[in-house]
Amino acid sequence: MTITRRHRFLITFLFIFILSVPGSAQVMPPEDFLGYKVGADYKLASYKDAISYFELISGQTSRMVVEDMGKTSMGKRMNYAIISSERNISGYERYRMMAERMSLARGVSEEEAEWLAENGKAIAWIDVGLHATECAPSQHAIQLAYDLVTGEDAVTRNIRENVITLLVFANPDGMDMVSEWYMKNVGTEFETSRMPWLYHKYIGHDNNRDSFNVSQIETKNITRLQNHEWFPNVVYNHHQTSPFPTRIWIPPYGEPTNPNKPAMVIRWENLIGAAMGKAFEEADQPGAVSRISFDAWYPGFMTQVVTTHNIPSILTETALYRYATPREYRIDDFPEAYKDLTKSAFYPNPWKGGWWRLRDAVEYCLTASMAVLDVCARYRKDMLYSKYKMASDNIARFLSEPPYGWVIPVEQWDKTTTVRMLKKLHLLGIEIYQAGESFTTNNIEFPAGSFVIPASQPFAMFIKTMMETQNYPDLRKYTHLWQGVPGRIKMDSKDPLRPYDVAGWTLPVQMGINYFELDSPVGFSIEKVIEPSNLKVDITGKQRGPYYFTCSDNNSYIAANRLLAEGARVERSEIEIVVGDNILFPAGSFIVDNIDRQKISEISKETHISMTRQNINTGSTEIDRAKIGHYKSWTASMDEGWIRWIMEQYEFGFHSILDRDIRTGKLRERYDVIILPDIRINSIVNGHKPGTIPAEYAGGIGDAGVENLKEFVNEGGTLICNNNSCDFAINYFHLPVKNILQGVKPSEFYSAGSILKMNFDVIHPAAFGMKEMGYVFFSRARVFEISGIETGNEVKVIARYPDEPLLVSGYTENDAKIQGKPAALEISYGKGRIILFGFNFHNRAQSYSTFKLLFNCLYKHL
């Protein structure tokens, strides 16, 4: 046969056409790119691998694009994939705008909402790898992307047509760290060893407790995408710690349920959970369980923060051994209650044991993700419309029933922290306004400019969750909520039933912000705030004399640290600074001299701290920057990371000190202050057991380190202990105090992560800038009793629980046990001192009102 020019043209055209067909065979399978099948034994792809593959195949198909959502804490680019049909991808901005209109609902009529629901696309968010050692979800995302762009079965094609899938790596730094650690140790005795550092630059596992505080860069990136750009219809957050021996946990959630969670959201979650369960049965994947272990109370989780934004949230916890190492399980390994394989309504197909590999977990994750996307595709119109309906109902409801909203006065004890809170809420999608005129509510007059947060807005249930105090339910009383048996069984247990995480979190209380609930709908002029910002500041007073500024504002410590770095003379007042009959500044406020006016004006504007120049006679003490050592154990501590992050934010210079540094000794020559974070005695003294981790990470400070810390304090150093580490100081320094809650049963005293009242000695230097009556976050805290003062240690009380009921938000029982008892102490030891904070002074960097307790201890008094 002779090949003519026409034949050549047709062959060339057909070849080009085949190559141009998106989602077909020209998309490289992940195993060809990686060199192994996704989920293979002893193989972990890194974030770099995953994104390189995403970028490769996005150039091979028009069904996928890769976008940038910002930097990570360690400076990587944080990328995500958008996957849908060719037509949807080419017009995804249009569908994104439709989702935004439906989610915010303002100005959208019922008729337009129906049209948008008919013509819009469901936006499905799937994130992976938040907890980086939970490896299967991150690995499955690589396979899922390929399956979604290449699959030509009816289900996958329907998903592409009706759903825009956002595939997000929530912790890129952690994914790289874990992959590098594991692959370096594969085939050695340390193959399954724990990583000796956090899988996030600062907060490790607590990155799934940061969702309403939005402190970390990754959380901010995720929150911006969810609440300002994409407005998803479902958020699916993959995890990997299923209750053993079950193979995957799926919704419905356990109890209790946050009272502000919309009923429609709960119904959607239950529907999706049922569809997931059905999918596992169809795939012959046993072991799916629901309802136990994981509740829906705390909004710090990535899942639960979105539910009050009218978004169904899906959590799964897939079974995990360690990394990519397989393990075989037998029935004898099971807990007793699971050995007879009894089925139940929420565990209908028990797992019978056998080998469990990373690939098995990947397959379960794939089944779960596809089931979620299938529901989104099938119920696209209903899902879109119900989100509009929840938003529009919120807007209408709180025009006629309380709470009508909240007022945040401009004048605050800590003004810059007030703006920080408003910025957080704004990032979380909350509408914030300022009053255009003076108004009165609850018989209090507020001036124009006061911040107003009406409850009548799309995400009303979220702002309620933040501003209201929590009343955690006693589940012994409400047994009908969680008992799935005929007849209600009364519980006689004296021990409370604990929440999965904490019971109370009220944001403005933790941040020390004064706020008031409106007693009626907004009936005065208000103007929407586009971006909350700090008020303008200035320097007032005389032309000569030192500069004065308050210590009540957290940003004052940034200002003081910058002034010290510039060589200024900085002092702190020993008492309140009074001019006439007015208290100008509280005890501990800053007095500055020997600084150029232009420089101090620059620092004042940058830190938003107002200053005044006066000639006032007052007792004061000069301070300087202390040499700070911050203990970093190889038994990685989230609290260490949180404190490190806080000190960086407020510009305190410090060095991380390791076990070997403390064992080496001569600490006083190098440091004025050493901080022991909220970690247990065994982690400090013994660390990792030799043989369980590479030798350089084994052991703690040991007996030598204990003696060196004693020498450090004895020679004039300050040792700061936070919560758990107080036990170390009490036991090893033989301090004349004891923790009265040690060995106390929950039936005798109980507090489930709650906000309690606290009295502070505001003349004590450690409590400078605090209010006399304030609040602390209490979770497994220490409460002290002073005894044995004949040892020669002088003991000063910094903070004490008042003699009255203590609960502000959350849940406690028998708090009379700790009323009137000391909570924070300064104890002399030789020439130095030990500071014991029996409660965690920052609580995941949420309790801004108590940051100053740390800051005050980080200066050297001259």
Side-chain angles (χ1 to χ4, degrees):
M1 175 182 173
T2 302
I3 300 178
T4 65
R5 289 180 62 190
R6 182 171 180 270
H7 286 134
R8 290 193 188 97
F9 173 80
L10 289 173
I11 291 168
T12 302
F13 176 82
L14 182 61
F15 180 73
I16 293 171
F17 173 77
I18 291 171
L19 286 179
S20 69
V21 176
S24 61
Q26 82 275 11
V27 175
M28 180 182 285
E31 55 267 28
D32 291 352
F33 177 81
L34 296 171
Y36 54 85
K37 190 174 183 180
V38 172
D41 291 350
Y42 311 111
K43 298 289 185 181
L44 276 186
S46 66
Y47 172 72
K48 182 180 178 181
D49 294 333
I51 289 302
S52 295
Y53 178 66
F54 276 18
E55 289 172 339
L56 172 71
I57 65 172
S58 68
Q60 298 174 338
T61 177
S62 53
R63 294 172 177 174
M64 173 177 168
V65 294
V66 177
E67 296 287 357
D68 190 307
M69 59 194 289
K71 287 186 177 182
T72 69
S73 294
M74 297 176 74
K76 292 184 175 70
R77 301 312 306 180
M78 195 170 177
N79 299 121
Y80 69 104
I82 307 170
I83 303 173
S84 195
S85 69
E86 298 90 332
R87 183 175 62 178
N88 293 346
I89 288 293
S90 66
Y92 78 71
E93 177 61 17
R94 171 173 174 258
Y95 294 116
R96 187 203 66 75
M97 293 176 67
M98 292 168 74
E100 180 176 357
R101 284 188 58 74
M102 292 286 276
S103 297
L104 300 182
R106 291 199 185 277
V108 179
S109 66
E110 290 269 351
E111 293 74 17
E112 184 184 358
E114 290 177 359
W115 185 90
L116 289 168
E118 183 67 43
N119 293 279
K121 303 299 177 184
I123 312 297
W125 171 292
I126 299 177
D127 65 75
V128 297
L130 185 66
H131 290 164
T133 51
E134 300 168 13
C135 301
S138 294
Q139 305 300 302
H140 112 287
I142 301 170
Q143 186 71 52
L144 179 63
Y146 175 80
D147 292 349
L148 286 174
V149 299
T150 62
E152 293 301 335
D153 58 283
V155 170
T156 305
R157 293 176 66 180
N158 192 44
I159 289 170
R160 281 199 303 266
E161 181 60 33
N162 289 284
V163 181
I164 296 175
T165 301
L166 310 179
L167 198 49
V168 179
F169 291 93
N171 181 11
D173 296 337
M175 187 175 173
D176 276 348
M177 283 190 277
V178 170
S179 173
E180 181 182 357
W181 171 258
Y182 177 71
M183 295 307 297
K184 180 174 67 175
N185 291 311
V186 164
T188 75
E189 60 185 310
F190 306 120
E191 179 173 296
T192 59
S193 293
R194 289 186 177 183
M195 201 163 62
W197 44 78
L198 299 169
Y199 51 67
H200 178 273
K201 182 178 181 180
Y202 296 107
I203 64 172
H205 198 83
D206 270 354
N207 61 2
N208 196 30
R209 306 296 187 273
D210 192 44
S211 292
F212 68 75
N213 194 36
V214 285
S215 70
Q216 302 302 302
I217 293 173
E218 295 85 355
T219 317
K220 291 176 181 178
N221 293 339
I222 288 167
T223 303
R224 186 185 67 255
L225 249 66
Q226 290 181 344
N227 297 309
H228 294 271
E229 296 184 25
W230 276 106
F231 302 90
N233 298 102
V234 66
V235 166
Y236 180 9
N237 179 222
H238 275 271
H239 284 268
Q240 200 180 3
T241 316
S242 187
F244 184 73
T246 70
R247 295 296 87 189
I248 188 168
W249 184 96
I250 60 177
Y253 291 90
E255 300 298 344
T257 298
N258 189 306
N260 290 316
K261 187 171 182 176
M264 182 59 78
V265 164
I266 297 171
R267 295 298 187 186
W268 276 115
E269 290 171 350
N270 293 350
L271 185 153
I272 295 169
M276 295 168 86
K278 176 174 175 289
F280 286 119
E281 298 312 315
E282 291 173 343
D284 194 23
Q285 293 172 310
V289 70
S290 300
R291 221 175 171 219
I292 62 171
S293 299
F294 304 101
D295 66 26
W297 179 260
Y298 180 56
F301 304 132
M302 189 181 287
T303 49
Q304 297 310 314
V305 75
V306 302
T307 60
T308 46
H309 287 76
N310 309 321
I311 302 171
S313 73
I314 301 303
L315 168 72
T316 56
E317 296 275 358
T318 310
L320 166 71
Y321 176 49
R322 294 177 188 170
Y323 309 112
T325 298
R327 176 169 174 177
E328 185 179 16
Y329 296 93
R330 297 179 173 83
I331 295 291
D332 287 346
D333 299 322
F334 290 10
E336 195 63 38
Y338 288 88
K339 287 182 176 179
D340 61 3
L341 305 178
T342 298
K343 68 171 59 180
S344 68
F346 293 101
Y347 190 43
N349 189 0
W351 187 58
K352 298 176 182 179
W355 279 97
W356 187 251
R357 304 178 183 276
L358 178 62
R359 182 65 194 188
D360 296 319
V362 165
E363 294 285 359
Y364 273 65
C365 290
L366 287 167
T367 299
S369 289
M370 290 300 289
V372 171
L373 295 173
D374 185 38
V375 171
C376 291
R378 290 171 183 264
Y379 293 90
R380 173 187 58 80
K381 181 178 177 181
D382 292 341
M383 197 169 260
L384 289 166
Y385 187 80
S386 74
K387 193 175 184 190
Y388 158 79
K389 189 70 165 58
M390 284 185 276
S392 58
D393 286 352
N394 283 340
I395 294 169
R397 173 183 171 186
F398 294 107
L399 288 174
S400 58
E401 68 175 74
Y404 301 105
W406 292 268
V407 182
I408 315 293
V410 171
E411 291 301 318
Q412 295 276 348
W413 184 257
D414 187 344
K415 292 181 181 180
T416 61
T417 294
T418 302
V419 175
R420 283 178 190 266
M421 185 188 78
L422 294 172
K423 285 178 177 287
K424 292 174 190 290
L425 295 176
H426 178 264
L427 183 58
L428 285 153
I430 295 303
E431 298 171 355
I432 300 167
Y433 298 80
Q434 281 189 285
E437 58 186 322
S438 62
F439 63 96
T440 300
T441 189
N442 290 305
N443 298 317
I444 303 172
E445 186 172 352
F446 295 91
S450 300
F451 293 104
V452 179
I453 305 177
S456 174
Q457 56 178 293
F459 307 142
M461 307 315 283
F462 174 73
I463 192 60
K464 282 177 86 267
T465 300
M466 292 295 100
M467 305 299 283
E468 293 176 338
T469 56
Q470 283 71 54
N471 181 20
Y472 187 82
D474 182 353
L475 293 178
R476 294 168 299 183
K477 176 180 178 182
Y478 303 103
T479 56
H480 64 286
L481 297 179
W482 53 273
Q483 285 184 352
V485 294
R488 179 178 168 187
I489 300 174
K490 184 177 179 180
M491 284 198 67
D492 296 324
S493 173
K494 294 180 180 179
D495 292 346
L497 301 179
R498 58 177 288 273
Y500 184 78
D501 200 85
V502 304
W505 54 82
T506 311
L507 190 59
V509 176
Q510 287 201 80
M511 297 185 77
I513 294 166
N514 204 18
Y515 69 112
F516 301 86
E517 186 176 325
L518 291 169
D519 63 4
S520 61
V522 175
F524 47 89
S525 64
I526 54 175
E527 183 176 346
K528 193 171 185 178
V529 175
I530 303 303
E531 175 69 37
S533 59
N534 286 285
L535 301 177
K536 292 182 179 179
V537 297
D538 53 17
I539 297 178
T540 61
K542 303 179 184 296
Q543 292 299 312
R544 295 184 179 181
Y547 298 89
Y548 294 77
F549 59 94
T550 185
C551 62
S552 65
D553 196 302
N554 282 352
N555 268 27
S556 297
Y557 294 85
I558 301 177
N561 290 335
R562 291 185 184 181
L563 288 163
L564 286 167
E566 290 291 336
R569 178 186 174 93
V570 180
E571 299 178 357
R572 302 198 72 174
S573 63
E574 295 171 357
I575 57 173
E576 295 171 338
I577 299 175
V578 180
V579 176
D581 295 328
N582 298 318
I583 298 175
L584 194 62
F585 296 119
S589 290
F590 296 95
I591 307 167
V592 182
D593 212 342
N594 191 34
I595 184 73
D596 177 76
R597 182 179 176 88
Q598 182 177 348
K599 176 55 67 174
I600 200 168
S601 176
E602 178 184 305
I603 291 173
S604 170
K605 290 177 181 177
E606 289 172 349
T607 58
H608 309 288
I609 296 298
S610 291
M611 302 181 184
T612 185
R613 200 169 192 182
Q614 300 285 343
N615 281 304
I616 305 170
N617 291 322
T618 182
S620 60
T621 301
E622 185 178 357
I623 62 169
D624 198 358
R625 290 173 293 175
K627 293 178 290 185
I628 302 167
H630 183 37
Y631 175 57
K632 186 175 184 178
S633 169
W634 291 124
T635 57
S637 160
M638 291 177 285
D639 195 65
E640 177 275 326
W642 278 119
I643 296 172
R644 179 160 37 92
W645 180 83
I646 291 168
M647 288 195 291
E648 288 181 10
Q649 300 304 302
Y650 288 90
E651 301 182 18
F652 285 93
F654 65 93
H655 290 93
S656 291
I657 53 176
L658 306 176
D659 294 317
R660 64 172 178 266
D661 301 317
I662 296 180
R663 292 194 300 262
T664 299
K666 297 184 180 180
L667 298 170
R668 188 68 186 94
E669 295 177 10
R670 292 177 285 155
Y671 303 108
D672 301 305
V673 176
I674 291 178
I675 304 168
L676 297 182
D678 188 353
I679 54 179
R680 296 176 179 174
I681 290 178
N682 189 57
S683 294
I684 297 171
V685 178
N686 299 318
H688 288 291
K689 185 178 179 181
T692 64
I693 199 166
E696 61 265 38
Y697 307 116
I701 67 171
D703 293 339
V706 171
E707 293 307 311
N708 289 335
L709 283 175
K710 289 181 180 180
E711 180 182 74
F712 164 76
V713 181
N714 198 50
E715 292 179 354
T718 295
L719 182 66
I720 300 172
C721 301
N722 190 26
N723 199 7
N724 264 292
S725 60
C726 292
D727 297 345
F728 168 81
I730 291 171
N731 290 343
Y732 282 94
F733 285 73
H734 305 292
L735 300 180
V737 299
K738 68 175 183 178
N739 171 23
I740 67 167
L741 296 183
Q742 185 173 354
V744 170
K745 297 177 181 178
S747 59
E748 298 171 313
F749 169 79
Y750 181 73
S751 180
S754 302
I755 303 172
L756 306 185
K757 298 174 188 174
M758 184 68 73
N759 289 336
F760 295 96
D761 177 3
V762 297
I763 303 301
H764 190 289
F768 281 165
M770 301 296 294
K771 293 181 180 179
E772 288 189 10
M773 202 291 283
Y775 309 99
V776 301
F777 186 83
F778 187 108
S779 179
R780 301 181 178 92
R782 276 76 186 143
V783 179
F784 303 119
E785 185 172 272
I786 302 167
S787 61
I789 55 176
E790 66 277 358
T791 58
N793 303 96
E794 183 183 3
V795 181
K796 296 179 181 178
V797 177
I798 301 167
R800 185 187 298 272
Y801 294 101
D803 278 312
E804 60 184 73
L806 301 176
L807 182 64
V808 175
S809 185
Y811 186 85
T812 63
E813 287 188 9
N814 303 321
D815 69 14
K817 176 82 175 175
I818 66 171
Q819 291 174 19
K821 300 295 185 181
L825 301 171
E826 176 190 351
I827 305 172
S828 67
Y829 190 92
K831 297 178 182 178
R833 61 179 184 155
I834 298 171
I835 306 292
L836 301 181
F837 293 115
F839 53 89
N840 190 299
F841 53 70
H842 62 83
N843 179 36
R844 297 165 173 161
Q846 295 172 19
S847 298
Y848 279 75
S849 68
T850 47
F851 284 6
K852 287 184 280 286
L853 296 171
L854 171 66
F855 297 164
N856 288 325
C857 300
L858 300 182
Y859 293 109
K860 180 167 61 176
H861 292 245
L862 302 179

